[in-house]
Amino acid sequence: MYSKWVVVADSSRARFFFYEGKKEPLRELEDLVHAEGKLKTQDVVSDQQGGRGNGAHSFEPVTDVKQQEAIRFAQQIGDKLEQGRVKNKYNDLVLIAAPAFLGTLRQTLNDQIMKLVGKSIDKNLVAQDESNIRSYL
């Protein structure tokens, strides 16, 4: 049986849809929110960074915290997609994501999921309504 999932995401939210056809509305399956993706870097970095110390190495550069959170969320999306793939919930996948997040998401998906990606769209549509998202399919 042919079934298509559409994932619309950015670094703080991912919406999973079931696509039944051009004339049918998308059916939303799940809406994941990653609140940490909306935080500003200074809200996430601890006060210990750059603190006083006795030596030349008292300050160590912080890896990009927002990027680490984006990777963590992309992995969470990948886990949901892997669960769906293993349970044969879909056999075609469309990824629609903010341009900066789409590459991160692709890097976290395994080869089996990537083989099912029929289309990728680099657009931030996560806040759009169902009919506007469907117009891109």
Side-chain angles (χ1 to χ4, degrees):
M1 179 181 163
Y2 175 79
S3 58
K4 181 185 285 192
W5 275 12
V6 177
V7 177
V8 184
D10 66 13
S11 63
S12 63
R13 185 177 180 199
R15 298 169 68 195
F16 294 74
F17 294 94
F18 183 74
Y19 179 81
E20 297 179 80
K22 291 181 181 182
K23 296 184 181 187
E24 299 295 322
L26 292 174
R27 188 166 34 105
E28 191 160 358
L29 302 170
E30 188 165 359
D31 190 349
L32 288 178
V33 176
H34 185 68
E36 293 86 347
K38 291 183 180 182
L39 294 176
K40 294 179 182 172
T41 302
Q42 66 263 23
D43 295 335
V44 181
V45 176
S46 77
D47 291 338
Q48 295 174 354
Q49 288 291 347
R52 295 182 184 190
N54 297 330
H57 300 290
S58 64
F59 178 78
E60 294 181 22
V62 180
T63 54
D64 186 352
V65 175
K66 293 207 47 103
Q67 182 62 22
Q68 291 301 321
E69 285 302 327
I71 292 168
R72 187 173 295 127
F73 188 49
Q75 290 168 337
Q76 186 179 355
I77 294 168
D79 291 345
K80 292 279 183 194
L81 290 172
E82 179 63 9
Q83 290 169 10
R85 185 194 68 79
V86 168
K87 294 178 181 176
N88 294 314
K89 299 272 185 177
Y90 67 94
N91 50 24
D92 191 8
L93 181 61
V94 176
L95 300 176
I96 303 174
F101 187 66
L102 185 58
T104 302
L105 181 58
R106 284 182 184 144
Q107 290 176 353
T108 63
L109 300 179
N110 66 38
D111 291 340
Q112 292 86 0
I113 294 172
M114 287 304 296
K115 288 177 186 175
L116 299 176
V117 176
K119 186 175 189 179
S120 292
I121 300 169
D122 60 348
K123 206 117 172 99
N124 191 352
L125 301 177
V126 77
Q128 299 294 316
D129 64 20
E130 170 276 326
S131 63
N132 196 13
I133 294 168
R134 189 165 32 92
S135 71
Y136 283 86
L137 305 176

